Amino acid sequence: MTAERDPAAAGNLILILGDQLSRSLSSLRDADPSRDILLMAEIAEEASYVRHHKKKIAFVFSAMRHFAKELEADGWQLRFVRLDDPENTGSLTGEIDRLRADHPEARVVVTEPGEYRLKSALLDWAEQAGAALDMRQDSRFLCSHQRFRKWAEGRKQLRMEYFYRDMRRDTGLLMDGDKPEGGKWNFDHENRKPAGGGLFLPRPPQTPPDGITEDVLDLVDARFGGHFGSLRPFWFAVTRDGALEALESFVEQALPDFGDYQDAMLEGERFLYHSVLSHYINAGLLEPLEVCRRVERAYYEGLAPLNAAEGFIRQIIGWREYMRGIYWLNMPGYTERNFLEATRPLPGFYWTGETDMACLSAAITQTRDEAYAHHIQRLMVTGNFAMLAGVDPHQVHEWYLAVYADAYEWVEAPNVIGMSQFADGGLLGSKPYAASGNYINKMSDHCSSCRYDVKHKSGAGACPFNTLYWDFLSRNADKLRGNPRLRQVYSIWDRMSAGQQDEYLETARQVLERYCDE
């Protein structure tokens, strides 16, 4: 609880971070525009602690500048430090010190940063500077740290499905009294249709850059031109109004088919029926509960089927909140976990998309161009290959954190370390998300244009996912054989002849030598 303010006290210095572009911030809850001073800063350190995608940097900086303009129009006192300001210190704490030099008695107020790294830096700064720091819970999330710890306490296994049901009860979303709408909590079994030709595929709204954004694009090109990704064309919305338009476009055009095809992939189709809203939500331009309420309303108005509404809401109040809970419950140290002791370097084609594996080329090229790929591309293509190949999970983690516009460590790290790479040993998920080429062939049309044959299990021309799948299971048998959900696949492996096993492993060795051991 924040103590009631003394009307005669000095004003506060309120720090607003680049992913806190929300009027509902807890740091602004009792703020006084006549006395308090807001601080926003474009910081080179924050743009380069990993080499973030150029589009992500441009999105965050432009959205910050637009948000600052709105705050100033509302009468707030604001210091906005641009990246190219000659006096920019290059760090957030340096900018706080600069502002405090003129207001040494002021208390610094901030909503808790989403990343452990930054939270620790601010707490350390306050202790060393002897400064009064009021760090408040981020009330935009639906589950507090305390609430998640209480939910997790005493459980032998942490599973998202049970957390999700509690969040449905807490929010009342898609509830019929004390029971789930439609009589079931989860309609995921209806959401696994492959996409075929002839579908109407909407596009996310394209927002032309205005003058502010054009200035930012030039700045990013000059300062971060060596970072990964294509900067232009740039079409992201950078204001709340633009993000709300994107939400309405998704609800009206894509949500009705989102459920059926949310796991599908199509060559040349980068968005299908996905919302492409996560970077707006994670930066604060949209709030998670308002997005879920809008989707729920579409269902009750008959505009979208239940499997679509439930599947989307599960991603927000289920997976998104659960990932944040896992992150803060296990930091520091979670990003360093390596249960499978994987040590290979990340293949170079993850930075170029230059590979003759069609599914990986499509996912990485799209990532390079759009700073976006949907969850199946991340989990079952790029993530799956990295895990099967035995790539160091910390390198995989840093790649995902760098290349996506929606990537912030609190949500990215559990998705990668826990779900994608199984590097936490099953804390987050009950088994590795390992799959052969058959899954990709079932859910996409990539295999039809690939130089490899998904029907070949080993030997020259065989799909690399097929051979790496068995190599992964063989290589990690000591750690995975006891997993009840892998009992059947290990029984298949055990029934193979020694010759067949050797053929799989030799083909896998050749694949790894070609793609990973350069």
Side-chain angles (χ1 to χ4, degrees):
M1 295 289 291
T2 303
E4 207 171 294
R5 291 182 61 169
D6 179 354
N12 293 325
L13 307 182
I14 302 174
L15 175 63
I16 299 177
L17 302 175
D19 60 349
Q20 296 181 349
L21 309 181
S22 311
R23 300 297 184 100
S24 63
L25 277 181
S26 56
S27 56
L28 296 175
R29 181 178 57 236
D30 57 352
D32 184 345
S34 68
R35 292 189 302 159
D36 297 331
I37 301 174
L38 310 184
L39 171 63
M40 299 177 70
E42 298 168 357
I43 300 297
E45 184 178 75
E46 293 303 304
S48 56
Y49 67 93
V50 295
R51 291 169 65 83
H52 290 288
H53 195 298
K54 292 192 285 287
K55 266 195 175 76
K56 178 181 181 179
I57 300 172
F59 164 66
V60 173
F61 282 3
S62 181
M64 288 174 67
R65 291 188 184 189
H66 283 86
F67 189 59
K69 184 179 179 182
E70 293 170 8
L71 292 171
E72 287 181 314
D74 288 345
W76 288 93
Q77 302 176 69
L78 172 71
R79 174 181 285 188
F80 191 96
V81 183
R82 296 193 175 206
L83 185 74
D84 52 3
D85 184 332
E87 297 184 3
N88 189 323
T89 61
S91 73
L92 279 170
T93 54
E95 290 310 308
I96 299 171
D97 281 334
R98 276 214 302 147
L99 186 55
R100 284 186 72 242
D102 298 327
H103 308 275
E105 302 303 317
R107 178 178 60 165
V108 176
V109 180
V110 64
T111 293
E112 180 186 65
E115 298 191 355
Y116 180 87
R117 166 193 62 85
L118 189 51
K119 178 179 180 179
S120 297
L122 289 175
L123 292 174
D124 290 346
W125 165 83
E127 183 177 356
Q128 293 169 13
L133 177 65
D134 179 4
M135 185 176 287
R136 302 178 178 181
Q137 288 189 47
D138 193 337
S139 56
R140 298 173 301 170
F141 289 94
L142 306 177
C143 183
S144 68
H145 301 326
Q146 296 85 347
R147 168 83 170 82
F148 192 84
R149 281 197 296 269
K150 183 177 180 181
W151 175 84
E153 186 176 350
R155 293 177 182 265
K156 292 182 179 179
Q157 293 182 321
L158 304 183
R159 295 294 175 257
M160 190 282 295
E161 179 64 26
Y162 301 109
F163 171 79
Y164 166 59
R165 294 178 187 184
D166 282 352
M167 294 303 295
R168 288 272 294 278
R169 295 184 186 100
D170 287 355
T171 61
L173 285 162
L174 293 179
M175 294 297 294
D176 182 9
D178 60 354
K179 299 187 182 303
E181 183 73 21
K184 292 191 298 185
W185 293 103
N186 187 318
F187 290 83
D188 198 39
H189 70 281
E190 297 181 19
N191 296 346
R192 297 170 184 168
K193 294 180 181 178
L199 294 173
F200 166 73
L201 296 172
R203 294 287 185 272
Q206 312 280 298
T207 303
D210 61 7
I212 293 174
T213 300
E214 288 290 357
D215 288 345
V216 169
L217 292 173
D218 290 342
L219 177 68
V220 171
D221 197 26
R223 292 289 296 271
F224 305 103
H227 282 215
F228 175 78
S230 303
L231 181 59
R232 293 181 171 90
F234 184 90
W235 53 265
F236 292 159
V238 290
T239 65
R240 174 166 169 78
D241 285 347
L244 285 169
E245 289 178 13
L247 170 60
E248 287 303 309
S249 176
F250 164 66
V251 169
E252 294 171 6
Q253 298 187 43
L255 178 62
D257 291 302
F258 166 77
D260 288 352
Y261 301 108
Q262 66 172 288
D263 288 0
M265 296 172 282
L266 269 181
E267 194 78 20
E269 295 293 343
R270 295 179 167 183
F271 307 109
L272 285 91
Y273 298 101
H274 290 275
S275 70
V276 199
L277 297 174
S278 53
H279 57 301
Y280 301 138
I281 299 171
N282 291 352
L285 297 181
L286 296 175
E287 302 228 1
L289 189 56
E290 75 173 333
V291 172
C292 290
R293 294 285 186 213
R294 180 66 187 92
V295 168
E296 179 190 47
R297 179 158 62 89
Y299 162 69
Y300 284 124
E301 291 175 349
L303 302 177
L306 182 56
N307 71 309
E310 186 279 318
F312 182 86
I313 287 170
R314 179 165 18 99
Q315 289 188 355
I316 304 295
I317 69 170
W319 282 115
R320 185 176 187 271
E321 296 283 335
Y322 180 70
M323 292 298 177
R324 178 176 182 258
I326 290 288
Y327 176 78
W328 285 106
L329 192 65
N330 292 280
M331 286 296 284
Y334 187 75
T335 59
E336 305 301 325
R337 294 194 183 190
N338 190 354
F339 173 72
L340 297 177
E341 301 178 79
T343 58
R344 278 194 174 84
L346 187 74
F349 67 77
Y350 272 69
W351 297 107
T352 65
E354 295 173 1
T355 174
D356 46 13
M357 291 177 280
C359 58
L360 279 159
S361 178
I364 295 168
T365 300
Q366 170 179 328
T367 297
R368 180 196 67 201
D369 292 347
E370 309 290 358
Y372 168 81
H374 71 69
H375 65 288
I376 292 299
Q377 292 172 302
R378 301 188 202 194
L379 177 64
M380 301 308 299
V381 179
T382 51
N384 185 26
F385 184 88
M387 182 178 68
L388 295 181
V391 176
D392 180 343
H394 189 74
Q395 292 190 27
V396 183
H397 149 63
E398 290 198 328
W399 183 79
Y400 278 93
L401 185 57
V403 302
Y404 290 114
D406 62 0
Y408 298 88
E409 193 176 80
W410 63 266
V411 65
E412 170 276 325
N415 268 295
V416 174
I417 297 297
M419 192 171 185
S420 166
Q421 301 302 297
F422 203 68
D424 67 2
L427 172 69
L428 189 149
S430 59
K431 74 176 184 68
Y433 276 85
S436 69
N438 183 58
Y439 176 86
I440 296 169
N441 189 41
K442 177 184 175 183
M443 297 308 301
S444 81
D445 61 352
H446 293 311
C447 299
S448 63
S449 60
C450 187
R451 66 152 287 193
Y452 294 104
D453 192 336
V454 71
K455 295 178 181 177
H456 288 182
K457 306 302 182 184
S458 62
C463 171
F465 283 86
N466 291 340
T467 57
L468 291 180
Y469 176 77
W470 291 112
D471 184 69
F472 168 80
L473 290 170
S474 174
R475 188 173 69 242
N476 295 293
D478 289 347
K479 293 179 181 290
L480 298 179
R481 185 179 285 275
N483 187 311
R485 296 191 65 189
L486 296 176
R487 188 175 296 129
Q488 184 176 358
V489 294
Y490 272 109
S491 68
I492 295 171
W493 175 251
D494 292 340
R495 291 196 300 271
M496 291 183 192
S497 67
Q500 187 176 10
Q501 290 181 349
D502 288 345
E503 188 174 352
Y504 276 124
L505 299 182
E506 173 58 22
T507 307
R509 185 193 65 77
Q510 295 172 15
V511 169
L512 294 171
E513 185 177 74
R514 176 174 184 178
Y515 289 112
C516 303
D517 298 333
E518 298 174 354

